Amino acid sequence: AGPVEGKKEAAMSELVPEPRQKPVVPMKPMGINTNLLGYIGIDTIIEQMRKKTMKTGFDFNIMVVGQSGLGKSTLVNTLFKSQVSRKSSGWNREEKIPKTVEIKAIGHVIEEGGVKMKLTVIDTPGFGDQINNENCWEPIEKYINEQYEKFLKEEVNIARKKRIPDTRVHCCLYFISPTGHSLRPLDLEFMKHLSKVVNIIPVIAKADTMTLEEKTEFKQRVRKELEVNGIEFYPQKEFDEDLEDKTENDKIRQESMPFAVVGSDKEYQVNGKRVLGRKTPWGIIEVENLTHCEFALLRDFVIRTHLQDLKEVTHNIHYETYRAKRLNDNGGLPPMAVETEENHESNL
């Protein structure tokens, strides 16, 4: 090699750091878990976390999307066993169908067993109700992204709040009309665009209008159509963390989705018990009875098994994707946080 090349190589070697050696992993002490000399108390961390969560409470924001008349409000009221969503028993005479999609967010605090949940229900009246529904998903996508932006701006503030208010949409229940045929182009269009920014859980509304055979066939058809169109609904395959998660989520993806549900906030007496249900000429459809509908499966899935995961996927995947894109578009700089009057006063 000539002297010039030698100099180049020397300069290069100065710039390129030597590959870092892998740290030596210390050997695992044998039987450390079995031969503890007395109790340390590491396991109390769970109790400490529980107490802290109970004190502060947590946010959960759920969005409902679908044509009017599919029982969206009723279903959310049934999920949380309280009037958390506007009661829509059809439109009032004075109330017109919105010309464009409106976004209405209603906040509540629900307490159970000493745990506080700050629940926000985001309704989307006007979605899919027009003659021309082209791009009617845009205001919804805009709203979801606005919440990410709000969170990002709070996060990059120099004087950050100890606890940033979380208005990000953790879960979107998408209501499919129980036609028994196939998904409408609008359904596919919405889920194709929005599945990239939010956790979508498809549900077949008013499932009591179909026979058991129709329901089974329709569920299979919907799953097939979503697969053919490359639409990923929650729980997304690529976010399964381990084999246990994969097994549990595969069962949900292949058997339960989309949940065929019936909602009701009316109580009836059945065999001496008070049950939530819908009265028909041939009997009462019990909402929480698995032989009648899959409402109990949906409730257990959203609230009892996957609520924390819905929040984590929103934060670690959807929000992170938005954040990275915003920083990229901004040349690596965080977006300027708009100083509100409230922030300004607190800084004085």
Side-chain angles (χ1 to χ4, degrees):
V4 179
E5 281 177 23
K7 276 181 190 169
K8 270 187 189 171
E9 277 175 27
M12 284 294 284
S13 63
E14 280 170 30
L15 292 172
V16 180
E18 283 182 30
R20 284 170 65 183
Q21 285 187 332
K22 264 190 163 182
V24 180
V25 180
M27 274 184 67
K28 210 173 185 181
M30 296 302 287
I32 186 124
N33 294 331
T34 52
N35 297 332
L36 287 175
L37 302 171
Y39 176 64
I40 302 171
I42 301 163
D43 56 355
T44 61
I45 185 74
I46 304 298
E47 185 57 22
Q48 292 168 41
M49 286 158 78
R50 194 181 74 88
K51 276 185 180 168
K52 228 174 173 64
T53 309
M54 281 175 80
K55 267 186 202 165
T56 54
F58 65 94
D59 303 293
F60 186 61
N61 309 316
I62 187 168
M63 179 183 257
V64 287
V65 182
Q67 278 176 295
S68 52
L70 290 179
K72 300 187 297 293
S73 302
T74 306
L75 187 85
V76 175
N77 290 342
T78 318
L79 265 179
F80 297 102
K81 289 201 159 93
S82 49
Q83 296 290 325
V84 291
S85 187
R86 66 189 180 94
K87 188 79 195 84
S88 62
S89 49
W91 298 98
N92 300 334
R93 280 178 190 175
E94 310 83 61
E95 210 178 313
K96 293 188 178 77
I97 291 176
K99 286 204 164 54
T100 55
V101 178
E102 291 174 9
I103 310 270
K104 293 182 178 177
I106 308 166
H108 307 267
V109 174
I110 297 178
E111 195 168 332
E112 186 180 54
V115 179
K116 278 202 289 270
M117 174 165 82
K118 289 160 194 166
L119 173 73
T120 303
V121 177
I122 303 119
D123 201 353
T124 54
F127 177 85
D129 292 339
Q130 310 307 317
I131 293 165
N132 177 10
N133 288 303
E134 200 181 347
N135 296 350
C136 68
W137 45 266
E138 279 178 352
I140 296 169
E141 186 174 36
K142 184 172 175 273
Y143 176 86
I144 291 167
N145 284 331
E146 275 169 2
Q147 308 320 304
Y148 291 147
E149 183 68 15
K150 206 186 279 186
F151 196 90
L152 178 58
K153 284 187 172 166
E154 282 290 353
E155 220 176 31
V156 299
N157 262 336
I158 294 169
R160 285 203 296 196
K161 288 175 183 164
K162 190 179 172 188
R163 193 164 175 270
I164 298 172
D166 191 0
T167 59
R168 297 169 300 180
V169 181
H170 299 121
C171 170
C172 171
L173 292 181
Y174 187 78
F175 285 68
I176 297 163
S177 193
T179 59
H181 299 295
S182 51
L183 290 172
R184 297 170 307 158
L186 175 62
D187 300 329
L188 293 168
E189 196 71 12
F190 177 89
M191 288 191 263
K192 207 174 269 183
H193 282 94
L194 274 288
S195 61
K196 293 178 180 73
V197 295
V198 71
N199 294 317
I200 289 182
I201 297 175
V203 295
I204 296 167
K206 300 198 166 178
D208 51 332
T209 59
M210 294 189 284
T211 66
L212 292 174
E213 291 81 11
E214 283 170 345
K215 187 175 81 177
T216 308
E217 275 177 34
F218 190 40
K219 279 174 69 128
Q220 285 170 351
R221 195 172 292 139
V222 169
R223 277 199 295 270
K224 189 80 191 139
E225 284 190 44
L226 292 175
E227 194 185 323
V228 166
N229 286 278
I231 296 165
E232 280 272 339
F233 50 81
Y234 178 84
Q236 300 92 330
K237 284 177 195 159
E238 66 262 42
F239 308 147
D240 293 342
E241 285 183 8
D242 52 37
L243 192 62
E244 190 189 342
D245 276 8
K246 190 185 181 314
T247 311
E248 189 186 337
N249 290 341
D250 272 347
K251 196 168 185 289
I252 292 160
R253 285 186 284 257
Q254 289 156 19
E255 293 171 26
S256 307
M257 290 282 185
F259 296 96
V261 295
V262 177
S264 170
D265 36 23
K266 288 194 173 71
E267 280 193 346
Y268 294 97
Q269 196 89 15
V270 176
N271 301 330
K273 272 165 119 184
R274 304 287 294 166
V275 297
L276 284 170
R278 277 168 63 84
K279 199 170 188 178
T280 68
W282 48 87
I284 287 165
I285 294 155
E286 296 168 43
V287 165
E288 296 182 82
N289 185 337
L290 275 175
T291 57
H292 291 200
C293 84
E294 294 168 355
F295 168 79
L297 284 178
L298 173 68
R299 185 220 29 230
D300 289 359
F301 175 62
V302 172
I303 300 169
R304 300 184 185 181
T305 63
H306 283 67
L307 191 143
Q308 181 57 26
D309 190 62
L310 280 161
K311 284 167 66 71
E312 281 175 14
V313 171
T314 301
H315 182 73
N316 299 331
I317 311 292
H318 298 305
Y319 169 66
E320 209 48 46
T321 306
Y322 178 86
R323 183 182 156 278
K325 188 181 181 303
R326 274 295 272 123
L327 295 183
N328 251 336
D329 294 350
N330 220 11
L333 292 167
M336 286 298 288
V338 179
E339 193 172 76
T340 60
E341 283 175 35
E342 189 187 315
N343 280 354
H344 186 65
E345 281 166 24
S346 66
N347 290 339
L348 293 174

